[in-house]
Amino acid sequence: MTPRFEPIIGRYLHLELSGRPQRLYVEEAGQGIPLVCLHTAGADARQFRHLLNDEAITQHYRVIAFDMPWHGKSLPPEGFEREEYRLTTAAYTGMVIDLCEAMALEKPVVMGCSIGGRVVLNLAAEHGPRFRALIGLESADYQQPWYDTEWLHRPDVHGGEVCAALVSGMMAPQSPAASRHETLWMYKSAGPGVFKGDLYFYRVDGDLRDVVAKIDTSKCPLYLLTGEYDFSCTPEDTLRTASRISGAEVTIMKQLGHFPMSENPAQFRRYIIPVLERIRSRG
Amino acid sequence: MTQPAASAQSAAGQVLAAFEELPRLAVADLDLVRRGRFLTCDFEIGVGSTPLAVAIAAGRVASVTRGPFLLKPLAFSVRAEPDVWQRFLEPMPAPGFYDLLGMSKVGRARIEGNLVPLMGNLQYIKDLIALPRTLDRSKAHS
C-alpha cells in the first residue's frame, strides 16, 4: 500500500458558544459553496470523512465538518466535571449560527443528520434567509421514543457498548460491514453521558411540531432524505414532517438507514450528489 | 384445520426449529462467544405461545429447551409472533424486521424482565438471536 495523505485539513477553532469559551475541532476540504455538516448524537465529524474526500463534491463545495463540544476531538468546556451535559434547541441552533459567523461563511448550505437533521428544521424556521439551502438527513419534527435513555449512562452497563448496540440495527443490512462497524466505533468511543445529553435535545427540548409550519422554502430550499431502514426517524416521520412544509423535497433512500453518509458512502452519494447539484444550479 | 392456522403452525415450527439450532450455531462463532464471555444467564425467546429457554454459559449456548415452563427463573424475555420471527430470520430482512429494538418500538416484539443482563450484553444477544439467518433457507424459513 502506498502511503498517502487525504486532502482534509483539521484545525481547532476557538470561539464562544452560549457565553462559554470552546475549542472546536473543524475539518474541511474543497472550495466553493460552504457546506457545513452536522454529525449525529453521540458521534463526531468522522461520519463525514467520505464526503470530505469526494472530489465530485469538493470541486464545487467547501465541505466543513466539526465536532460539537463534548464530542470527538472537541473538549467539553471548562467546569464540565460539575454538570450534566444537556444539549438544548437554543444552544444547538446558536452553535451553528455562531460557527458560520466565526468562519465568515457566506450563505452556507447546512446538512445535518439525526439531531443535526432536527436542528436543520429549526434553522429553516428561525434563520432560513441566512442559508443557501438546508439538508436534513434522517430528519423529522418529532419521533416516538423507543427506549429509556437512562440505559445510556449508568455504572452497571458499559456506556459505549450499549450506545453502539442500541443504534446498530438502525443501519441497513446491505451496508458494508466495515462501514457499519466504523460508524459504531464512534458510539463506542464517545464520552460518558454525551449521547444521552444530545438526546435531551432530541427527546425533550426539540419537539418542533409547532415550529415547522413557519418554514418558508421560497427563502431557503429544504431537502429531506431518509433511509428506508431507519426505524428511529422513519420515512413516515419525514414524510409527515414534509407534509407541513410547503416546498420541502423528500427522498426516501433505498438500502440505507440512520447513518447514510458513514454506513454506506457509495450508496449515499447516489442520492446526495444530485441534491448538491440542484442547489448549485439554483445559484 | 383452516389454511391460515396450518400456515401459522408451520411458521412456528420452523422458527422454533431454527432457534433450537443456537447451541450449534453459537459454538461455531468464536468471536460471538468471546464477546459474550461475561454472560451466564437463562432467558426466554417467545415464539407465539411457545417459550424457549435459552441457557447461556460464559457466552456459549448450553441448551435451548422448549416450554411450557412453570415458575422457571428466566432473566428476561424477547417475544414475537411466529410470522414476525420468520421475517426477522430472513437472510436480508425487510425494513421493520431487521432489528429487535425496531420491532419492539412498533409492538411487533416485546422485551420484558430484568433488562440489566440484556442491556449489558445487547449486541451479543442481538447477534445471537440473528444467527439462524445463516441457516440454509430451504430448511429454516421456507
Side-chain angles (χ1 to χ4, degrees):
Chain A
M1 178 178 181
T2 309
R4 67 180 177 89
F5 280 111
E6 297 180 6
I8 302 171
I9 300 294
R11 292 182 295 172
Y12 291 91
L13 172 66
H14 289 256
L15 79 172
E16 208 166 87
L17 296 174
S18 301
R20 300 176 83 177
Q22 301 278 2
R23 178 179 184 259
L24 293 194
Y25 179 63
V26 184
E27 291 186 339
E28 66 171 278
Q31 293 181 340
I33 302 164
L35 172 62
V36 179
C37 302
L38 310 177
H39 60 73
T40 64
D44 59 67
R46 283 177 291 181
Q47 290 178 323
F48 293 101
R49 73 180 180 91
H50 298 280
L51 257 76
L52 286 154
N53 276 300
D54 192 329
E55 280 184 25
I57 297 171
T58 55
Q59 65 178 324
H60 301 297
Y61 283 88
R62 178 186 175 194
V63 184
I64 298 163
F66 68 99
D67 297 341
M68 292 203 295
W70 300 77
H71 300 70
K73 286 157 76 87
S74 296
L75 290 166
E78 190 175 318
F80 78 91
E81 70 278 9
R82 296 187 300 277
E83 65 186 89
E84 181 180 4
Y85 168 62
R86 279 183 169 178
L87 183 66
T88 64
T89 309
Y92 196 6
T93 304
M95 181 193 314
V96 179
I97 297 292
D98 291 348
L99 176 111
C100 291
E101 287 190 354
M103 294 186 72
L105 305 180
E106 192 178 335
K107 290 280 270 185
V109 178
V110 176
M111 176 170 70
C113 186
S114 184
I115 58 166
R118 178 76 62 82
V119 84
V120 152
L121 299 175
N122 203 48
L123 291 168
E126 294 189 356
H127 304 281
R130 287 173 176 257
F131 301 101
R132 183 173 178 130
L134 291 161
I135 304 170
L137 308 174
E138 318 309 317
S139 171
D141 52 7
Y142 173 81
Q143 291 139 242
Q144 180 198 333
W146 50 279
Y147 63 91
D148 187 333
T149 58
E150 287 297 314
W151 288 109
L152 301 178
H153 187 204
R154 49 188 283 159
D156 54 351
V157 171
H158 188 288
E161 298 273 16
V162 77
C163 290
L166 280 164
V167 304
S168 64
M170 289 153 54
M171 288 180 274
Q174 296 88 357
S175 292
S179 299
R180 281 188 281 121
H181 288 289
E182 177 181 305
T183 302
L184 295 180
W185 180 252
M186 292 172 228
Y187 282 84
K188 290 179 178 180
S189 51
V194 172
F195 188 26
K196 183 184 175 195
D198 285 339
L199 293 183
Y200 181 79
F201 162 68
Y202 215 34
R203 296 273 189 93
V204 182
D205 195 49
D207 183 342
L208 301 183
R209 284 176 288 186
D210 293 332
V211 173
V212 292
K214 291 195 296 185
I215 294 174
D216 183 350
T217 57
S218 72
K219 295 189 173 135
C220 176
L222 178 65
Y223 300 89
L224 303 176
L225 299 90
T226 293
E228 63 173 346
Y229 274 92
D230 188 349
F231 69 78
S232 176
C233 176
T234 65
E236 292 73 25
D237 289 325
T238 301
L239 290 164
R240 184 203 65 237
T241 302
S243 72
R244 296 173 183 162
I245 308 168
S246 176
E249 295 190 23
V250 179
T251 306
I252 304 304
M253 302 183 286
K254 295 281 184 194
Q255 299 190 2
L256 285 167
H258 193 75
F259 308 94
M261 60 284 177
S262 63
E263 70 173 75
N264 192 342
Q267 179 75 347
F268 178 55
R269 75 193 295 281
R270 295 191 181 106
Y271 290 102
I272 198 62
I273 286 178
V275 169
L276 294 173
E277 289 298 317
R278 286 192 59 197
I279 292 169
R280 194 164 63 89
S281 65
R282 289 173 88 138
Chain B
M1 191 176 282
T2 62
Q3 192 61 35
S7 169
Q9 192 178 49
S10 161
Q14 287 172 6
V15 168
L16 288 164
F19 282 131
E20 283 170 341
E21 294 286 330
L22 285 179
R24 181 177 67 81
L25 294 170
V27 80
D29 190 334
L30 293 177
D31 180 61
L32 183 75
V33 172
R34 177 186 63 80
R35 289 190 283 123
R37 66 194 180 281
F38 295 110
L39 182 64
T40 295
C41 86
D42 295 354
F43 75 97
E44 176 190 327
I45 299 176
V47 181
S49 58
T50 305
L52 290 173
V54 182
I56 307 293
R60 286 182 165 75
V61 181
S63 62
V64 176
T65 313
R66 203 179 286 205
F69 307 109
L70 289 174
L71 302 176
K72 189 172 179 62
L74 298 166
F76 60 88
S77 63
V78 294
R79 299 185 178 119
E81 292 304 313
D83 61 315
V84 172
W85 282 127
Q86 206 166 31
R87 297 197 65 182
F88 173 82
L89 293 178
E90 287 175 0
M92 193 62 78
F97 293 90
Y98 176 49
D99 185 78
L100 179 65
L101 298 163
M103 299 199 309
S104 161
K105 179 185 177 184
V106 295
R108 285 191 185 115
R110 296 172 306 287
I111 305 170
E112 294 164 321
N114 174 17
L115 302 186
V116 173
L118 171 66
M119 299 304 269
N121 299 272
L122 185 58
Q123 194 63 54
Y124 168 82
I125 295 289
K126 284 171 53 165
D127 291 345
L128 179 76
I129 65 172
L131 277 179
R133 286 177 187 161
T134 62
L135 285 169
D136 181 344
R137 209 171 170 211
S138 63
K139 291 179 189 167
H141 332 287
S142 59

